Amino acid sequence: MLDEHKKHFDLLETRSADQRAADQLVQLNTQLAANGLPAIKGLAELATLPVLRKADLVARQAAQPPFGGLPVRNLAHVFQSPGPIYEPGGISHDWWRIGRFLHAVGIGPGDIVQNCFGYHLTPAGMIFESGARAVGAAVLPAGVGQTELQVRAAKDVGCTAYVGTPDYLKVILDRAEEMGVALAFTRAAVGGGALFPSLRQEYADRGIACLQCYATADLGNIAYESEAMEGMIVDEGVIVEIVRPGTGDPVPAGEVGEVVVTTLNPDYPLIRFATGDLSAVLAGQSPCGRSNMRIKGWMGRADQTTKIKGMFVRPEQVAEFVARHAEVCRARIIATRDGEMDVMTVQVEAEGADAGALGDSIAAVLKLKGRVEIVAPGSLPNDGKVIDDQRKYD
């Protein structure tokens, strides 16, 4: 049983670097064997193995459905992410390792967690529910939307913690104020988008301590913040490399590069999986006592794919939208902020187009609603960019 007063989730968090490397090498060689690869003598040799990219996984899954021939074990759920990419899910204890993050946030027995991640097709809802179970917290499986009902449920049930995308908590809190309802949230564990400093401060001003993690549907928890809030601590169940974008070559410590992750989950052994995200290694150790490597957190995308309102938006989705409409020449997605909310604007080169119909098509393809601006053919910049993220992350 996890002691709710214990500072760290387990002893793995405070291992020496040498002990962690030795333990992970044993686990890694087990993963390599499961994938039909030879053992290596040291973690540095991991960089000699090929990188697996999302596009590669899509192609492999199309050829060998549903998981591309990867050695999946103990399958309990199948999830779908944009691509499409299909991910397995398990129901063993803390399968995605989110419990470690929730413990760092201070969530544990006695808490009721309002889980505002989606439960439909995508795994985020199940990921965080599994983590809450691992720390002994109860869960209100709220999902996304129906904000007034969310407020009422949070009040009636007495929810003490929120998990979900960073900005949706503000929507709930603002609606609660409009309704004259006082909520009991004191902790928030967020992911799926950038936690901007101004938004974190707004939550702090409302008495809510908010920390973020970096997790994906494929890999589970990759890194997470602790109360120190000095970078993100790499999870104990993965090996993280920072490589030069478009290659598998590690960059010098401190240099920004693409995050490549090897998971030590024996049920789904992904080797050198390229996330497409940018980050950099932080020197030193966290003041909270957790000894693993730290990264600076999410610093943008190595390609044009980005997250808007917690959902990935990919260049191939923009191409699919354009292909659906003969009257559309080109399209460009612009991501901005309005206060603390993400805004998606879609600029469309077209003549005689119906903005309403295009908006419906965009929502169908991207699974997000956005503002449509119709512009004259030839007026968009000729720079090859179809997704322009204009949000600031500093």
Side-chain angles (χ1 to χ4, degrees):
M1 292 290 291
L2 179 67
D3 181 351
E4 64 179 311
H5 302 295
K6 191 169 64 174
K7 180 176 177 60
H8 299 120
F9 187 72
D10 56 28
L11 295 177
L12 298 180
E13 293 183 354
T14 55
R15 286 180 289 183
S16 69
D18 289 344
Q19 185 62 56
R20 180 176 288 108
D23 293 344
Q24 290 187 338
L25 180 61
V26 173
Q27 294 174 284
L28 175 58
N29 279 327
T30 300
Q31 301 293 73
L32 294 177
N35 279 273
L37 297 170
I40 60 177
K41 296 179 180 179
L43 294 182
E45 291 183 34
L46 186 57
T48 65
L49 300 177
V51 168
L52 176 65
R53 299 195 173 275
K54 288 182 182 288
D56 301 329
L57 194 52
V58 170
R60 287 181 60 162
Q61 291 187 354
Q64 294 180 271
F67 303 122
L70 293 173
V72 172
R73 306 186 317 172
N74 300 316
L75 178 67
H77 296 104
V78 180
F79 300 100
Q80 184 198 66
S81 294
I85 293 176
Y86 294 95
E87 299 101 5
I91 55 174
S92 60
H93 178 77
D94 203 19
W95 198 82
W96 287 277
R97 306 174 316 283
I98 291 294
R100 187 177 304 282
F101 167 50
L102 297 186
H103 181 73
V105 176
I107 297 172
D111 280 308
I112 301 177
V113 174
Q114 185 147 343
N115 185 359
C116 294
F117 280 112
Y119 281 80
H120 177 64
L121 285 180
T122 59
M126 294 295 291
I127 288 174
F128 279 81
E129 179 166 317
S130 173
R133 191 177 302 116
V135 297
V139 175
L140 175 70
V144 180
Q146 297 183 296
T147 305
E148 190 165 318
L149 286 177
Q150 297 247 15
V151 171
R152 178 56 57 196
K155 171 64 174 177
D156 293 346
V157 174
C159 292
T160 56
Y162 164 92
V163 302
T165 56
D167 50 9
Y168 189 56
L169 176 57
K170 177 176 166 55
V171 175
I172 292 175
L173 295 173
D174 289 348
R175 182 66 60 85
E177 285 188 359
E178 293 169 6
M179 296 168 62
V181 173
L183 300 181
F185 294 127
T186 60
R187 302 280 177 180
V190 302
L195 174 59
F196 292 87
S198 58
L199 185 56
R200 195 203 300 263
Q201 186 58 52
E202 179 170 341
Y203 293 150
D205 293 342
R206 288 170 135 163
I208 301 170
C210 183
L211 298 179
Q212 63 185 324
C213 75
Y214 170 34
T216 72
D218 319 89
L219 300 158
N221 194 22
I222 298 171
Y224 61 100
E225 288 185 320
S226 71
E227 70 274 13
M229 288 193 290
E230 292 188 11
M232 302 184 95
I233 303 157
V234 172
D235 182 74
E236 298 297 331
V238 295
I239 299 171
V240 170
E241 302 170 89
I242 307 295
V243 308
R244 203 166 306 284
T247 77
D249 303 329
V251 300
E255 186 174 325
V256 176
E258 184 177 11
V259 179
V260 170
V261 182
T262 296
T263 174
L264 301 175
N265 179 355
D267 290 343
Y268 190 36
L270 288 172
I271 307 298
R272 301 203 82 202
F273 188 72
T275 64
D277 295 323
L278 295 175
S279 193
V281 173
L282 271 177
Q285 183 176 307
S286 175
C288 70
R290 294 172 176 86
S291 58
N292 206 351
M293 180 178 82
R294 296 179 299 164
I295 59 176
K296 290 185 178 180
W298 191 74
M299 300 175 69
R301 294 290 292 175
D303 58 18
Q304 291 181 40
T305 301
T306 193
K307 278 182 179 176
I308 303 174
K309 301 179 183 178
M311 291 289 290
F312 278 116
V313 178
R314 305 178 189 280
E316 52 265 35
Q317 291 174 290
V318 181
E320 180 182 346
F321 160 72
V322 172
R324 288 188 175 198
H325 301 277
E327 72 275 22
V328 173
C329 305
R330 288 196 296 162
R332 183 186 186 98
I333 290 175
I334 300 175
T336 55
R337 299 280 289 173
D338 183 6
E340 298 296 350
M341 301 296 292
D342 286 344
V343 176
M344 182 177 76
T345 302
V346 185
Q347 295 182 328
V348 180
E349 286 189 1
E351 287 184 336
D354 182 335
L358 294 180
D360 291 342
S361 180
I362 288 163
V365 175
L366 275 66
K367 313 303 182 188
L368 286 173
K369 293 182 179 179
R371 300 192 300 224
V372 176
E373 292 180 4
I374 298 177
V375 300
S379 60
L380 292 180
N382 185 25
D383 57 6
K385 185 176 288 188
V386 297
I387 301 174
D388 183 10
D389 190 348
Q390 298 181 359
R391 298 167 294 182
K392 302 299 182 184
Y393 296 96
D394 52 22

